[in-house]
Amino acid sequence: MDLPGLPVSCTCVRIPTLRAHAEAITIETEKPVDLDRAYAVLNSSPGVAVADDLSANVYPMPLTATRKYDVEVGRVRKNDVFGERTLPSPLFYDLHTVSDNGLDLFVCGDQLLRGAALNAVIIAEEVCLK
């Protein structure tokens, strides 16, 4: 993405799995998030496989990410923390703050196939092409 100043907050989720890592990621954006555009970017990104159909129980999981080079991405949704604005609260009859300037997603990948070593090779290949 070539955005070294992009603020990103990650939570690593470590559970006993054979060879996969998972992270919950929160991204703060400068502009309101368009979920359709976010999905389009994710679907067109090399090394990413969108797994996000909650009605069919399809989301990133260590079991389904194992033995794949691509990282599974899912549970994509707007984050209500960033870029605050005040709206009437439906529950408490007062004001509450919501936002469209953030994105949450969950990723899961095979740590042996798509870990530091493969990423280093991909970066080296890109550098050699330039």
Side-chain angles (χ1 to χ4, degrees):
M1 292 176 37
D2 199 27
L3 299 169
L6 178 68
V8 177
S9 171
C10 300
T11 303
C12 184
V13 179
R14 297 212 175 209
I15 56 173
T17 63
L18 180 61
R19 56 191 273 180
H21 282 160
E23 290 186 12
I25 300 174
T26 299
I27 301 169
E28 181 180 11
T29 59
E30 291 179 359
K31 298 178 181 175
V33 171
D34 177 336
L35 283 179
D36 291 333
R37 176 78 177 122
Y39 278 107
V41 169
L42 290 169
N43 278 311
S44 66
S45 296
V48 173
V50 175
D52 201 2
D53 183 358
L54 298 181
S55 65
N57 290 326
V58 175
Y59 42 86
M61 295 186 294
L63 182 65
T64 56
T66 297
R67 292 184 168 71
K68 293 181 182 175
Y69 284 99
D70 290 347
V71 174
E72 292 184 352
V73 179
R75 305 296 302 266
V76 180
R77 61 212 180 273
K78 289 184 180 183
N79 178 290
D80 292 335
V81 174
F82 306 110
E84 298 177 353
R85 66 180 192 272
T86 303
L87 294 176
S89 172
L91 300 176
F92 302 107
Y93 305 103
D94 58 359
L95 301 178
H96 72 289
T97 304
V98 297
S99 169
D100 289 333
N101 287 39
L103 188 67
D104 287 328
L105 44 95
F106 189 74
V107 301
C108 191
D110 187 308
Q111 65 189 4
L112 299 179
L113 296 179
R114 191 58 183 231
L118 177 60
N119 289 340
V121 170
I122 291 170
I123 291 167
E125 290 174 342
E126 288 295 319
V127 169
C128 290
L129 291 174
K130 292 184 178 182

